[in-house]
Every structure is written in structure tokens, then in C-alpha cells.
Amino acid sequence: MNKENNEPVGSRREILAGMGLAALGLMGLNSAWQKLGFNEIKPALNPNIRKYKADSAAPFPNVTLYTHEGDAVKFYDDLIRDKVVAINMMYSQCSGICPKSTANLREVRNMLGERAGRDVFMYSITLDPERDTPEMLKQYAERYGIRDGWKFLTGAPEDIEWVRYRLGFYDVEEDADNIRENHTGMVRIGNDDRKRWSMAPALSDPWQIMATINHLDPKVVHTAEAHT
């Protein structure tokens, strides 16, 4: 935490600065290649964007998914409709950001207290549905001591892909989109009733994630406890 402005390490300023340096680096690389007589580097655009973003009159696909408790649920009707939600993507065999994200979001779940499963609903959707059965996800949830109010979800691979694209967990560059780990670092937070959606880094300070949730939840009066 930066004591001067209460901004955590890895803050928005640092992230934006990093994005700016990355953009400058790509521009410089393109310029160098052009001087050598090569065309500008243009990554292949993802052909699935148009396919998955269209094709439904509902805000989100109403496909059938399965919870880590073995229940069949409709993604939009049962999980999203008229609710305040926090959604991330993960998979049980991930050894990178997923364990850290799950542990961080567990702190958010604890902060929500009785609001979890009543006012705010947390969902983690697997990126590896062929391996992550409900039983595997149940073991994963038990390993991290996940309490009620938070569901881990799997389903048919094509349905998971559709949900992923409609939630915005995709990259416009096809090669980057094919890297599963690229979709595990953010939390999609929304209020379907008010049609308001936002995102937060999964590894940001839990209180920052809570602030985003509270901003979208009209029923909130106070967070679970004072931030000290």
C-alpha cells in the first residue's frame, strides 16, 4: 500500500503505465520491421468475436450449466437475471493466477457476509469444462474453504465458450485468445436489473473489488466491517 495516497502496489497508475509502455514497445517494433522492409505486424483477429457476441435476443446465453454441487442451472434465468453478480473464470488445474485469485476472492466472499447469496452472487466458471466436472469443482471449492453464496460452474465446451465471449473474457487477437490463462485475471461485476457492468482485477485489494460491487448494488448500506 502506498502510504501517501492509499493506492495499493500494482495500482491503476502502475497498470496504466505498463499498458502505455507495452503500446510504445509494439509501436517501436513495428517501426523497426518497417525500416527493414517488412509490413507492419498485424496479429490475426479473432474470428469468434462476431459469432459469439451475436446470436441471441437475451442479454446473455441461457445455456444449461452445472454447479459444483451437481445442480443444473440456466445461465441467464437462474444465475444472472435481476441479480448483482461477480464472475471470474478459472480452472482447477491452473497453477498460475487461479489459486491466488480464488484465495483473494474468498476474502471478498468473507467481507460480503450475509449479503453473499442474498444480495450478491459469486460465480467461478471453468475454462476447462472437459476436465472440470462438478465433482472436480467441488473438490476445488472444498480445498479453498469456499462458503455458500459462491458457485463453481461447468458445462458443455461450446456453451462455456459462448458464455465467455458474451461476458467479455476474450482477446481480439486469436493467438492471445487461445491462451487459457489470459482469461483468469479479471472479475466481471454487474447488476442485470439496472444493466450496469464493470470489471476489476482479480488480484486487486479485496476492498477495491468490494467497492466495485457496492457501487453496483443499490441495497448496500455498509460493507461487512470498517476498513482499518
Side-chain angles (χ1 to χ4, degrees):
M1 183 75 73
N2 186 323
K3 295 181 179 180
E4 293 182 359
N5 55 17
N6 291 325
E7 193 163 279
V9 175
S11 65
R12 179 175 55 189
R13 291 187 302 174
E14 293 170 327
I15 292 170
L16 290 175
M19 291 172 63
L21 289 173
L24 288 173
L26 182 57
M27 290 168 61
L29 182 60
N30 284 332
S31 177
W33 276 71
Q34 287 172 3
K35 290 178 181 179
L36 291 173
F38 293 98
N39 292 327
E40 182 178 356
I41 300 172
K42 293 182 178 179
L45 294 180
N46 193 335
N48 289 321
I49 294 175
R50 186 177 294 107
K51 171 184 174 182
Y52 284 109
K53 289 185 74 175
D55 202 27
S56 177
F60 295 101
N62 204 27
V63 296
T64 299
L65 299 183
Y66 300 90
T67 74
H68 68 285
E69 297 161 330
D71 298 324
V73 292
K74 290 294 186 181
F75 181 69
Y76 183 64
D77 284 347
D78 296 331
L79 303 180
I80 305 294
R81 186 188 293 274
D82 298 332
K83 292 180 171 66
V84 175
V85 298
I87 307 169
N88 79 306
M89 301 204 76
M90 46 66 68
Y91 54 105
S92 64
Q93 301 303 308
C94 173
S95 59
I97 195 174
C98 299
K100 297 176 183 178
S101 296
T102 299
N104 202 46
L105 291 174
R106 182 178 58 200
E107 295 301 312
V108 176
R109 163 62 188 89
N110 292 339
M111 291 176 185
L112 283 168
E114 295 181 356
R115 293 170 61 198
R118 182 192 69 190
D119 304 327
V120 178
F121 300 82
M122 296 180 66
Y123 306 124
S124 291
I125 304 172
T126 181
L127 288 161
D128 189 9
E130 293 179 332
R131 182 178 301 179
D132 281 341
T133 62
E135 292 77 15
M136 287 286 290
L137 291 178
K138 183 177 182 181
Q139 293 175 17
Y140 184 89
E142 290 175 348
R143 189 188 318 155
Y144 285 90
I146 304 303
R147 299 162 58 190
D148 56 356
W150 185 351
K151 298 183 185 300
F152 288 75
L153 299 154
T154 189
E158 62 272 19
D159 292 337
I160 294 292
E161 281 293 275
W162 193 8
V163 166
R164 178 170 75 87
Y165 275 87
R166 291 298 292 272
L167 284 171
F169 290 106
Y170 64 85
D171 197 291
V172 295
E173 298 176 10
E174 185 175 8
D175 289 343
D177 192 65
N178 289 333
I179 301 173
R180 192 181 296 157
E181 290 84 355
N182 286 351
H183 311 301
T184 62
M186 300 296 291
V187 184
R188 192 82 158 111
I189 300 168
N191 182 329
D192 178 67
D193 182 51
R194 298 196 174 191
K195 311 305 178 194
R196 298 181 62 201
W197 290 84
S198 184
M199 268 192 170
L203 292 182
S204 59
D205 189 291
W207 283 99
Q208 291 184 329
I209 300 175
M210 278 290 293
T212 305
I213 293 172
N214 290 342
H215 182 67
L216 296 176
D217 182 10
K219 295 183 293 295
V220 65
V221 177
H222 299 292
T223 51
E225 58 186 356
H227 186 192
T228 56

